[in-house]
Each structure stands twice: as C-alpha cells, then as structure tokens.
Amino acid sequence: MTITTRAPHPGSLLKELDLDRTGFLYLIELASELKADRAAGTETAQLTGKNIALVFEHSSTRTRCAFEVAAHEQGASVTYLGGPGWQLGAEESIADAARVLGRLYHGIEFRGYAQATVEELARYAGVPVWNGLTDEWHPTQMLADVLTMLEHHTGPISEISLCFVGDARNNVARSLLITGALLGLDVRVCAPRRLWPPDEVVERAQELALGSGALVTLTEDLTTGVAGVEFVYTDVWVSLDETEEQWARRVALLAPYQVTERVLAMSGRPDVKFMHCLPAVHDAASALGNRLYQQFGLVGAEVSDEVFESDRSIVFDQAENRLHTVKAVLVSAFETG
Ligand code: CP
Ligand code: NVA
C-alpha cells in the first residue's frame, strides 16, 4: 500500500535553500528582537503548551542546548531522543517514526547523518521539522553566523565579505557558500581543489549570485582567498560523519591552510574577525586535540591557539547566537503554521 506523503510543513527548515533572502533576513531580525527582549527581561513566551522532539543521531553541545533553552524560555517542553535508546530507522522506519512523533509533538528537530532522513521526517510528520545538522547542511548555524557578522559589521549587508578556509566539502562550508550567495555577499572558499564543495553546490551558488549580486570565489590560493575579507571562517578538518583514519590525509592536505596570524594578516584589514562554528581543535586540551598532538605533533589543527584566543575571535558570539536564532526559528514556525 502506498503511504501518503505531504509537503514539508511551512514552518520547517531543512536547508538554507528552503529560504529566500527575505525569509532568511526576517529570521535574523526576529532573532535580534528576541535577543534584545531577553537581555531587557521583557521576553514573552509564545510557545506555551508546545512539545518539541529533539532527535540526535550524534553528539552536540550547542545545537542541543540552543533548542532546549530556546524552547524552555518560550514556554515549550522538549524530549531528547538520542543515544543507544533511540535508533531512527533501525526497529521502525523513518516514515513510521515521523508519523508517531507528528501525532505527539508540535515540532521535531533532527541532527544526524543523511539529509535524506530529515527530508523524509518532514514528508511524513505533518509538523515543522528543523535540521540541526546533516552531512550536507547546517542551516541553524548559518542564521547564527549571519546575525553575528551583522553585529560586527558596519554598513550594508552587501559589503560583508567572508572566506571559508579548510575542508570545504563539509556541511558548514557548503552552507556558507549557499548562504553568502543567497544574501548577496562576497563569499569565498579557499581549499585544496579536491576538498571543494560538490559541483552542484557551486553551480547553485553561482545561479543564486546572478540574482543577489553575490561574488562567489573558489580558490586554492590563500592570498586570493583572504585578501580584503572581513571574516575568515574555518571548521574541523574531519567531520562527525567521517572516521578518524581521515586525519592523516587531511593533516597532509590542510596543514598549509591552518588559520594563523599570518593568514589573518593576508586580509590586509585591521578589523578582520575569526569565525568557527565550534567545536574547534585549537590546542591539546580536548581528547581529540591531545591525540592529534601525540600523533602528528600538531598543537591545534584548523586554527592556531593564538588566533582562537585573540580579540579578533568572535566564536563565542556565534555560539551564543545559536540560542537567539534557534528561538526565532521555533517562534516563526508557529507564526506560519
Ligand atoms: N556548531 C554546532 O553545531 O555545535 P554542536 O555540534 O555542539 O551542536
Ligand atoms: N563540520 C562539522 C560541524 C560540526 C558543528 C561536523 O559535521 O562535524
């Protein structure tokens, strides 16, 4: 028997391409208002009585905490579904689990591996579904990053320039390229050729740029990538969907692309800022950082400790803004729903 599917609920956010420029900037504006209300102690709960499922196939600090705190502060309740007790698609199909969760919950966050899983949840749940990171996209991170850039940038948004340096095949790099193209920014990717985003993502960014006026640049050359940019962004060299065996190959490929003081200086801008979605490998203090130090003699990987800890680093502003932007996603989902 054919199972009925549905169009995703209009309050869903599965990837950046679900939003147009106006929709994206509406969420940023709402997040900014919610942030100001929270700081002033005037926030009003708009999600009282809502129940939200948080489905996690793998680990998270920021995304989980942002959804939990945002929901609580807006009067909603959450259920965390993750770890060994929850195996989506193992004992029950995604379509069945989606229909069950959709009967019990008003919205579902999903963090996991395949983009197809979050899309399938959205096709069957009948309630808003939000992507909290897949192998392909990290849309809630992008909202936080754009809010953060706007807070540090003076002048029109079209004058924002940023360069992602590192493993540009990964979710965050793809999302930044599409987001920059959608919003009309000067967006650059600087990475070894074999670590560029897939062709279809680059082509989509170039198409979007035709309408938005964005400048889309992909280069292997650090000088070309970083010259004149206001924001230099990097992410881990090995992502959650990959195995640790990748580290040796990645270190060999990406060592010249570590974001150091020298790389920031290549921007030629005294106001250059450093960005990272976190978690970051910038010293040997984490178990992973220590393993990399023991194995490769590396102190820090994608970013030097000096840059990470410098006053040009705005990584904790990004982390805080995950809360305000996720809150905007939740509030707006029920405005449209
Ligand atoms: N940036 C981010 O998504 O962090 P978590 O993996 O801790 O959620
Ligand atoms: N690219 C990273 C992002 C983590 C927020 C990963 O997928 O592990």
Side-chain angles (χ1 to χ4, degrees), residues 60-63 111 138 141 277-279 322:
S60 166
T61 299
R62 280 143 289 271
T63 307
R111 150 150 321 187
H138 201 357
Q141 180 72 48
C277 56
L278 306 182
R322 296 296 309 281

Side-chain angles (χ1 to χ4, degrees), residues 80 105 117 132 138 151 165 206 238 268-269 280:
Y80 177 77
Y105 291 92
T117 306
H138 201 357
E151 287 173 343
V165 179
Q206 284 162 342
V238 173
R269 291 183 65 143

Side-chain angles (χ1 to χ4, degrees), residues 223-237:
T223 314
T224 312
V226 175
V229 295
E230 188 176 0
F231 300 98
V232 175
Y233 198 124
T234 192
D235 185 14
V236 284
W237 287 348

